[in-house]
Amino acid sequence: MKIAELGAVAALVLAGVSGAGPVQAQSLVKVDGSSTVYPITEAVAEDFQKSKKNSVRVTVGISGTGGGFKRFCRGETDISDASRPITKKEMDDCKAAGVEYIELPVAYDALTVVINPKNDWAKTMTVAQLKAIWEPAAQGKITNWNQINPAWPDRPLKLYGPGADSGTFEYFTEAINGKAKATRGDFTASEDDNVLVQGVARDVGGLGYFGFAYYTENKDKVAPVALLAASGKPAVAPSVETVINGTYQPLARPIFIYVNAKSADKPEVKEFVEYYMTHGEKLSKEVKYVSLPAKAYTYNLEHFQKRLKGTKFGGENKVGLTIEELMKLEAK
Amino acid sequence: MNQQELQALRAMIATHKRWDYMFGVLGILALMLALMTFVALFADMAVNGLGRINVDFLTSFPSRRAANAGILSAWVGSVLVMLVTACAAVPLGVAAGVYLEEYAPKNWVTDIIEINVTNLAGVPSIIYGLLALGLFVYTFGLGQSILTAGLTLALLILPIVIVATREAIRAIPQIIREGAYACGATTWQVVSDHIVPYSSAGILTGVIIGMARAIGETAPIITVGALTFIAFLPTAPFAGDPPAGLFDWLFAPFTVMPIQMFNWTSRPEAAFLNNAAAAGLILVLMTLTMNGLAIWLRYRLRKNIKW
């Protein structure tokens, strides 16, 4: 009798669940990868499914750029979101598994170095100063703002940055310290960028970095640092304009999707990528990323329709690539 | 007893009572600390999230616009995963507990098993996720599915169910067993007619504690490949074209409530934080419903025990 009661409850739950899901067996597009690219892909997936009246299913995961490529090169996903170009090792993995891919840049992100709004001394910094703060040798030694510049106040320097699994971290360390993942270890690391925003917002001596979208949503809490790439040039603050005209250097970076060439022949994947390229400009702006110029998406679309396989980066990250240079590179 | 002895005795009793009182106050303070933390967290969540809870929130899929985003795929995913977890963990856990208490010989092999079961309860949940990724996803080829997630969480709560089952069985007076055996019952008859029915209330409590832990787990579920954006539900049995089988939903891609919440808390837009708080409230409500169901079932079961 008790067993019967338990069974009745289970049956009730089952009935409730099946009532909620009047969905048909449909074609599926599987996307995984970088959490930085996620907002754009999510927006595209949302609108694409609506435009197809839900006859195509799209799933988007956030395993990170590296984790995404692992699954992609095993052939588990159709599309991989990536906040950096594919690496040599990942190219080899894909090759070994017979996975060919089409590389499509979808937008730009500006890594933004931020300080507390009350900080009135470090509104501009040189790349050399950032390096002095973040390089591995600074660990335990550089702990005060006046060690960077004697004119700056005697105030403890508190650092905030993303954790080691993030593509943002990889790009920043490569662009500033000259080597990917080379950094001092004594800073507050968090995979959640909102934690970094909170940290810098509460601490006058705080300094941190994260993607441009987090800065634009928190303009009242943190202030951006304008970058002096080399002496004699004007300091450049991160903005849509400075990324587009290529003056915000070296922290502007392209972000990509990689499409499995075999999947690209499936009608649902083909239509999804085409939708991505025709609506990518509008949607990446909407989620606060810097979109590529319209002609870049047109070019991407041709590139995709011709099924141009492989990467234009040769397994290396290119730091400080402007949109102009990226497009020349992709056109090769 | 003379007057002096009486006074000394009274003084002693008074001292002891004072100590009792002081410990009582300490106990209440400890309880309040735990309770206040929960109340503060809950209140904070309620203030932020209450405004977002409505029918649309429960029946909408995730969206990039905070105001349109909902938790339909997340709560359905959570319910289905919990269903698989319960179906796997309860029979296995109860059977293991019954075996250890009623059948297992008292020797060193049993001792080792016991120590291992207790230790398993302390293993970090991510370890279960990694195990499941290798075993369920790749070796057994179950894919990144509801089935995989449910089985992973079942492994996670198995030690809790086993320990609770054993505690509940131990609470049954020995005379019940002796009486049954004296009447010529086999071990199986004793277990199925007496031990399991009488201990079912205690077992249920253990199951609920386990399930309440499992429903909030994120790490192992992310490891086995739960998704973040998913705007469709698993196909219901016999629905769709061609019609889905009875168990096709087990192999569907999915997401769960804690992952949806985590994704929303890490968004740049503040409006998503309210969504996360609202999803948190629903999650607390789901746990509460599970607890309520268990209390009701326990009450029903206890009424039927005739000794």
Side-chain angles (χ1 to χ4, degrees):
Chain A
M1 181 200 157
K2 287 133 215 166
I3 308 277
E5 269 171 17
L6 277 172
V9 171
L12 261 176
V13 173
L14 253 180
V17 166
S18 35
V23 191
Q24 295 179 346
Q26 299 142 323
S27 35
L28 183 65
V29 181
K30 283 201 237 170
V31 192
D32 201 349
S34 164
S35 58
T36 308
V37 191
Y38 174 81
I40 307 178
T41 305
E42 181 202 44
V44 175
E46 187 185 350
D47 283 11
F48 176 69
Q49 288 189 107
K50 278 202 189 111
S51 80
K52 301 293 290 180
K53 305 242 172 347
N54 292 325
S55 66
V56 177
R57 296 168 158 193
V58 185
T59 64
V60 190
I62 37 173
S63 301
T65 302
F69 272 128
K70 269 192 201 124
R71 297 191 59 199
F72 181 75
C73 291
R74 275 196 223 112
E76 289 174 19
T77 52
D78 299 313
I79 296 171
S80 211
D81 286 342
S83 63
R84 54 158 173 77
I86 190 167
T87 63
K88 191 83 194 58
K89 192 185 166 300
E90 288 158 353
M91 287 164 68
D92 294 343
D93 287 348
C94 274
K95 204 171 178 187
V99 171
E100 292 184 299
Y101 44 83
I102 302 158
E103 174 184 78
L104 303 167
V106 291
Y108 253 73
D109 185 24
L111 292 197
T112 306
V113 180
V114 294
I115 50 174
N116 190 281
K118 290 209 185 89
N119 177 332
D120 55 3
W121 59 90
K123 287 188 187 312
T124 46
M125 290 176 89
T126 64
V127 172
Q129 281 171 331
L130 282 174
K131 183 170 186 227
I133 292 175
W134 286 99
E135 67 186 348
Q139 179 152 346
K141 290 192 191 121
I142 307 296
T143 54
N144 198 302
W145 282 93
N146 64 13
Q147 286 171 287
I148 306 296
N149 182 342
W152 289 351
D154 172 18
R155 192 179 270 283
L157 177 65
K158 296 274 175 60
L159 297 174
Y160 300 86
D165 289 335
S166 111
T168 308
F169 166 81
E170 256 179 74
Y171 188 90
F172 183 87
T173 46
E174 181 155 7
I176 299 295
N177 297 342
K179 187 166 178 287
K181 299 197 175 190
T183 181
R184 66 191 294 172
D186 53 345
F187 65 95
T188 309
S190 173
E191 300 296 343
D192 181 350
D193 291 340
N194 284 322
V195 173
L196 307 179
V197 171
Q198 298 282 345
V200 177
R202 283 188 192 142
D203 196 333
V204 180
L207 179 129
Y209 66 90
F210 37 71
F212 188 61
Y214 284 86
Y215 159 66
T216 46
E217 287 294 331
N218 293 288
K219 278 183 175 164
D220 50 334
K221 293 187 194 135
V222 291
V225 172
L227 291 183
L228 261 167
S231 56
K233 281 187 180 174
V236 183
S239 72
V240 175
E241 293 73 36
T242 56
V243 171
I244 288 178
N245 66 25
T247 52
Y248 185 66
Q249 289 293 348
L251 291 180
R253 58 166 177 172
I255 55 181
F256 306 87
I257 60 171
Y258 285 78
V259 185
N260 183 318
K262 230 176 256 159
S263 302
D265 292 333
K266 290 195 270 183
E268 63 270 19
V269 176
K270 180 172 163 287
E271 279 175 55
F272 179 73
V273 175
E274 283 169 1
Y275 193 92
Y276 209 130
M277 292 311 138
T278 43
H279 296 77
E281 190 188 0
K282 179 177 88 87
L283 291 173
S284 52
K285 267 182 202 150
E286 196 184 316
V287 294
K288 307 284 172 6
Y289 282 72
V290 180
S291 63
L292 304 174
K295 61 181 174 183
Y297 293 98
T298 321
Y299 173 73
N300 272 339
L301 196 58
E302 282 171 27
H303 184 148
F304 174 72
Q305 277 156 351
K306 282 190 218 145
R307 302 281 190 273
L308 293 178
K309 289 166 198 158
T311 171
K312 294 288 163 57
F313 288 79
E316 282 164 26
N317 203 349
K318 289 185 166 54
V319 163
L321 197 69
T322 64
I323 292 180
E324 199 84 358
E325 286 162 352
L326 172 75
M327 285 181 61
K328 268 188 206 145
L329 188 71
E330 289 292 333
K332 259 190 227 165
Chain B
M1 201 186 281
N2 65 31
Q3 199 64 29
Q4 219 170 6
E5 277 173 337
L6 199 65
Q7 255 176 4
L9 204 61
R10 283 206 179 115
M12 197 173 76
I13 290 172
T15 317
H16 286 175
K17 279 200 167 152
R18 233 180 354 258
W19 275 109
D20 273 354
Y21 179 75
M22 274 164 71
F23 186 78
V25 169
L26 198 72
I28 286 187
L29 280 178
L31 183 70
M32 289 306 271
L33 197 71
L35 208 63
M36 289 312 284
T37 313
F38 174 74
V39 168
L41 281 174
F42 191 79
D44 184 51
M45 225 157 57
V47 166
N48 289 325
L50 220 48
R52 278 293 292 130
I53 295 182
N54 51 35
V55 178
D56 281 346
F57 188 66
L58 294 175
T59 55
S60 299
F61 289 114
S63 164
R64 66 180 180 281
R65 298 186 189 91
N68 299 344
I71 55 167
L72 180 59
S73 43
W75 76 256
V76 171
S78 271
V79 169
L80 292 178
V81 168
M82 283 299 110
L83 194 69
V84 174
T85 302
C87 288
V90 174
L92 276 179
V94 173
V98 168
Y99 171 79
L100 284 174
E101 281 303 310
E102 299 295 323
Y103 287 85
K106 299 279 171 244
N107 59 20
W108 60 274
V109 179
T110 313
D111 284 347
I112 289 180
I113 295 177
E114 274 176 27
I115 291 169
N116 271 310
V117 168
T118 325
N119 278 345
L120 273 180
V123 172
S125 57
I126 185 85
I127 305 287
Y128 287 95
L130 292 171
L131 171 80
L133 184 68
L135 196 67
F136 297 141
V137 178
Y138 293 120
T139 312
F140 295 168
L142 298 181
Q144 276 125 350
S145 59
I146 290 176
L147 183 61
T148 303
L151 292 179
T152 310
L153 293 180
L155 283 186
L156 184 75
I157 70 167
L158 209 49
I160 303 174
V161 178
I162 294 175
V163 171
T165 305
R166 300 187 61 189
E167 293 296 327
I169 290 177
R170 272 185 221 152
I172 300 172
Q174 192 61 27
I175 46 166
I176 302 257
R177 286 186 195 86
E178 284 165 1
Y181 283 127
C183 293
T186 61
T187 309
W188 171 245
Q189 284 169 328
V190 174
V191 165
S192 61
D193 293 347
H194 300 279
I195 303 296
V196 170
Y198 301 162
S199 58
S200 52
I203 294 174
L204 257 176
T205 312
V207 169
I208 288 305
I209 293 172
M211 299 284 278
R213 177 175 172 196
I215 201 171
E217 274 295 340
T218 326
I221 298 286
I222 288 190
T223 316
V224 300
L227 296 151
T228 308
F229 176 82
I230 176 161
F232 57 83
L233 296 174
T235 311
F238 311 123
D241 183 36
L246 186 54
F247 296 111
D248 276 10
W249 58 270
L250 283 173
F251 297 96
F254 69 101
T255 189
V256 291
M257 297 281 288
I259 294 180
Q260 187 64 67
M261 282 179 67
F262 175 72
N263 175 255
W264 279 340
T265 52
S266 58
R267 290 290 187 108
E269 299 94 330
F272 277 110
L273 292 179
N274 295 340
N275 281 6
L281 284 177
I282 304 281
L283 190 61
V284 171
L285 205 70
M286 283 168 81
T287 317
L288 218 59
T289 313
M290 267 187 350
N291 277 318
L293 197 70
I295 291 168
W296 176 73
L297 273 173
R298 198 160 57 194
Y299 169 73
R300 294 289 308 271
L301 293 172
R302 279 207 178 130
K303 265 206 322 202
N304 291 332
I305 296 177
K306 300 281 193 299
W307 45 273

